[in-house]
């Protein structure tokens, strides 16, 4: 007799818009395929504490369009220790799970791989606004965060053009410049600073001055948090250019809000692919999106290198910014 599937789902690391849509998909796909679904609260911390609840179809009603993660998340230090990993395995067995879906970023994937090596059946779904997970074209939350940044940048631009000012806008992304690059391209930034490309304040100043010479009333500089900090850059730039420069740090507003349609669809597809993979006997795999199709690939491929910006997109953004 085939084993009765009992699939757990948890969200881990920074929340990202679309995580709820992924949870909903995991729960409903599991039930649709004759299995039982279990939500684990507060990420790996909830797994370690045995904080879980069985999910019905209705348990995930009304969450598709909500930001954050309704089952909570955490960055679990305990999962870095042998004791923590052993306890996680014990809890998995106590909960009677036959599989576990982990929605998170590369740190969450590392722990997932450790669990896989201890015999648990796991599947990763990339949920992070940073889009720094290797092996997938994009991650759940990236598109929504981009839209949030574009919206915020347009608002800043209103003030920048009214006052003929230069603004430096700092965006998240950890060590990855993808969010800044794509936001800068989509929002028409005059200059984009990313950790992948060395930059000098003198060049930023020259580009601002060039703009002024050709009659531009304002400048918007988007900086990835991994490339520098808005307040320091604004101060240095102001001194060099000879006019005041304002700084805006968008911070956690980039992580909140209703997921875009793209992220809802991506999350729904990835949740389904994770459940199908587990039910087909796969484990230790990550779900990715490649050329518009979902794929499964080994978890270590997702974190042993980073998804990073494409140089030709950066070059295009620089040409269009002139
Ligand atoms: O990984 C998502 C992210 O938002 C990064 O862009 C950022 O560096 C980090 O999380 C912030 O983490 P926290 O919310 O723990 O301050």
């Amino acid at each position: 007799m085939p084993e009765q599937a009992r699939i757990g789902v948890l969200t881990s690391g920074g929340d990202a818009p679309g995580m709820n849509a992924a949870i909903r998909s995991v729960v409903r796909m599991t039930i649709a395929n004759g299995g039982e679904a279990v939500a684990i609260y507060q990420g790996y911390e909830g797994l370690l504490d045995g904080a879980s609840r069985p999910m019905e179809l209705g348990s995930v009603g009304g969450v598709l369009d909500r930001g954050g993660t309704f089952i909570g998340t955490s960055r679990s230090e305990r999962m870095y220790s042998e004791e923590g990993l052993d306890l996680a395995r014990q809890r998995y067995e106590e909960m009677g799970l036959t599989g576990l879906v982990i929605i998170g970023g590369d740190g969450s994937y590392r722990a997932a791989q450790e669990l896989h090596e201890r015999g648990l059946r796991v599947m990763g779904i990339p949920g992070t606004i940073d889009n720094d997970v290797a092996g997938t074209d994009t991650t759940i939350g990236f598109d929504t965060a981009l839209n949030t940044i574009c919206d915020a940048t347009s608002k800043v631009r209103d003030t920048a053009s009214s006052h003929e000012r230069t603004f430096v806008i700092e965006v998240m992304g950890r060590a990855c410049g993808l969010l800044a690059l794509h936001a800068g391209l989509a929002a028409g930034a005059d200059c984009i600073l990313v950790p992948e490309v060395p930059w000098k304040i003198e060049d930023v100043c020259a580009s601002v001055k060039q703009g002024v010479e050709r009659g531009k009333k304002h400048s918007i500089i988007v900086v990835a948090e991994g490339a520098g900090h808005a307040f320091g850059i604004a101060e240095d730039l102001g001194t060099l250019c000879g006019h005041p420069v304002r700084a805006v740090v968008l911070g956690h507003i980039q992580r909140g809000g209703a997921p875009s349609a793209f992220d809802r669809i991506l999350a729904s597809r990835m949740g389904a692919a994770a459940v199908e993979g587990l039910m087909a006997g796969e484990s230790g795999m990550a779900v990715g999106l490649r050329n518009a199709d979902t794929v499964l690939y080994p978890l270590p491929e997702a974190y042993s290198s980073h998804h990073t910006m494409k140089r030709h997109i950066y070059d295009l953004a620089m040409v269009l910014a002139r």
Side-chain angles (χ1 to χ4, degrees):
M1 211 174 99
E3 80 179 347
Q4 163 78 40
R6 188 170 162 84
I7 295 180
V9 58
L10 63 81
T11 46
S12 172
D15 65 319
M19 280 183 162
N20 285 326
I23 299 163
R24 173 179 176 269
S25 175
V26 169
V27 168
R28 291 197 172 165
M29 274 301 285
T30 299
I31 296 171
N33 283 285
E36 293 171 351
V38 176
I40 294 160
Y41 289 90
Q42 296 314 130
Y44 285 116
E45 285 295 302
L47 179 62
L48 297 169
D49 294 339
S52 67
R53 190 162 70 83
M55 292 275 109
E56 308 298 336
L57 290 173
S59 314
V60 287
V63 304
L64 180 63
D65 59 355
R66 277 173 50 198
T69 158
F70 83 100
I71 59 175
T73 186
S74 61
R75 300 191 195 278
S76 175
E77 289 296 322
R78 289 194 280 170
M79 288 298 282
Y80 290 109
S81 68
E82 285 298 319
E83 298 74 38
L85 291 164
D86 288 343
L87 181 59
R89 184 181 54 191
Q90 187 189 319
R91 296 293 189 222
Y92 175 96
E93 283 161 8
E94 286 166 6
M95 288 176 195
L97 299 179
T98 61
L100 177 61
V101 178
I102 291 120
I103 307 168
D106 56 357
S108 313
Y109 276 16
R110 282 174 205 273
Q113 174 65 17
E114 294 282 351
L115 296 179
H116 167 66
E117 286 169 14
R118 282 164 176 75
L120 280 64
R121 290 179 51 219
V122 301
M123 193 66 68
I125 294 181
T128 166
I129 65 163
D130 300 342
N131 198 7
D132 57 352
V133 177
T136 181
D137 293 342
T138 193
T139 56
I140 296 167
F142 179 67
D143 181 68
T144 306
L146 274 181
N147 286 311
T148 302
I149 298 167
C150 284
D151 187 43
T153 304
S154 296
K155 289 175 177 159
V156 170
R157 182 178 284 111
D158 288 345
T159 299
S161 87
S162 304
H163 287 261
E164 304 194 355
R165 271 182 191 163
T166 298
F167 273 82
V168 180
I169 302 179
E170 181 182 320
V171 306
M172 283 186 168
R174 220 179 269 280
C176 177
L178 269 168
L179 198 54
L181 173 60
H182 286 238
L185 182 57
D190 302 282
C191 195
I192 305 168
L193 308 178
V194 290
E196 293 86 348
V197 182
W199 59 274
K200 289 204 298 266
I201 197 77
E202 291 77 12
D203 296 337
V204 181
C205 178
S207 112
V208 169
K209 284 189 167 162
Q210 243 171 38
V212 172
E213 273 158 27
R214 74 163 178 81
K216 266 185 134 171
K217 300 281 182 227
H218 62 265
S219 284
I220 301 285
I221 294 138
V222 171
V223 57
E225 64 178 347
H229 294 296
F231 283 95
I233 295 170
E235 200 178 323
D236 294 347
L237 195 59
T239 309
L240 212 58
C241 290
H243 64 253
V245 176
R246 297 283 198 268
V248 177
V249 179
L250 294 181
H252 288 80
I253 64 159
Q254 295 163 93
R255 289 230 301 256
S260 65
F262 179 89
D263 276 329
R264 294 180 206 186
I265 294 167
L266 179 69
S268 300
R269 294 181 66 196
M270 286 186 158
V275 171
E276 282 163 0
L278 282 172
M279 287 193 167
E282 297 279 5
S283 178
M285 308 293 267
V287 181
L289 187 78
R290 294 185 195 166
N291 300 320
D293 275 328
T294 53
V295 294
L296 298 184
Y297 61 104
L299 280 167
E301 278 180 29
Y303 59 77
S304 38
S305 67
H306 281 293
H307 183 204
T308 187
M309 47 153 261
K310 291 191 169 43
R311 184 63 201 222
H312 68 270
I313 297 183
Y314 174 83
D315 292 340
L316 171 67
M318 291 301 117
V319 169
L320 299 182
R322 279 187 201 138

